[in-house]
Each structure stands twice: as structure tokens, then as C-alpha cells.
Amino acid sequence: NAHKEKTLYMADNAKLTVMNDFHIRYGSNIEIHKDAQLFIHGQKFGYSGANINLTIICWGKIEIGSDVSIGVNVLIRDSSNHFINRQGYKAKRSVIIGDKCWLCESCTIMPGVRLGEGCIVGAKSFVINSFPANSLISGHPAKIVDKNVLWKY
């Protein structure tokens, strides 16, 4: 429903930086917790934004590059919320999404992921590892299915 709200939660000392236009459609939920930073470069040359039901949960640092296109029902998070209790495990790990990436419908980007420029993440993919520029990745967990891919937006 087009009248569904968008929510933005910012805790103490949270920082949201949006450098250029970045469109967010209805049903989206963005949480930036205490001392966390969400940095969005936005539109530089082409379209930059998210379709409906984007969820971003930021406990440390998430950075989204320029000209990134985000599909329906995408989740991006930089923390496991301390649910994993293993010695040496870091619950918060920064997420970096490079310029000109395309995150397709219902994909999940987990803590510590770095996507190089021009990556395409297939629909319903579960991304737990980092990938180099211009990779087409897909699966659960996501793996490279093609290299040197360029997409036109």
C-alpha cells in the first residue's frame, strides 16, 4: 500500500549522512543505533535509491556508494545483535557497498560484507562474504556466478 510509512530511528550520537539524492520508497525502516554511522553517497550520474520495504539496521558503520540501486524487501545490517557467543567473534562489522551496485529483490547483506563497484546481487541471495568489483553473485550463501559483469541503469 502506497500509504505505508517509512521509519527512521536515530539513537544518541547516531549519524546519518546523505551526500546527494537517494530515493527511499514506502515501507522502509532505517535504524541507526548509538554512536553508529550510516553514510549514503546517493545519485552521482544515474539513479540512486531503494524500492519498497528497505531495512537498514546500523550498529556501527554502513556505507552505500553512489548510484546504487536497491530492490524490494532488501535487508542490510552490520551487526548480529550479539546473538553469537563465540570467543573473538565481532558482533559489529562494517558494511561497504561500492558505487553502481545493484541489490536485487529480497537479498540480505550481513555484517562485514564489502561489495566492490558494480556488483550485482541476485534476488533472495544471502551475502556473508565480500566480493570484488563487477561480480554477479547469487545464492544462499552467495557465490560468484559470473565475473567482469557490467550493468546499465
Side-chain angles (χ1 to χ4, degrees), residues 59-117:
W59 286 87
K61 179 185 175 190
I62 295 175
E63 183 173 352
I64 299 173
S66 297
D67 303 321
V68 171
S69 185
I70 301 175
V72 175
N73 298 322
V74 170
L75 168 62
I76 302 168
R77 61 180 312 131
D78 68 354
S79 173
S80 62
N81 292 80
H82 308 284
F83 295 134
I84 297 174
N85 186 14
R86 183 188 308 161
Q87 187 164 347
Y89 182 80
K90 294 181 181 177
K92 290 189 280 188
R93 292 175 288 143
S94 297
V95 170
I96 309 294
I97 297 169
D99 295 345
K100 300 178 186 173
C101 286
W102 178 12
L103 309 181
C104 294
E105 178 181 353
S106 300
C107 71
T108 299
I109 309 297
M110 292 297 287
V113 168
R114 284 171 168 44
L115 298 177
E117 180 176 336

Side-chain angles (χ1 to χ4, degrees), residues 39-61:
F39 193 91
I40 301 172
H41 292 266
Q43 184 174 338
K44 203 172 198 179
F45 300 109
Y47 172 80
S48 190
N51 209 322
I52 62 173
N53 298 327
L54 168 66
T55 300
I56 297 176
I57 302 173
C58 183
W59 286 87
K61 179 185 175 190

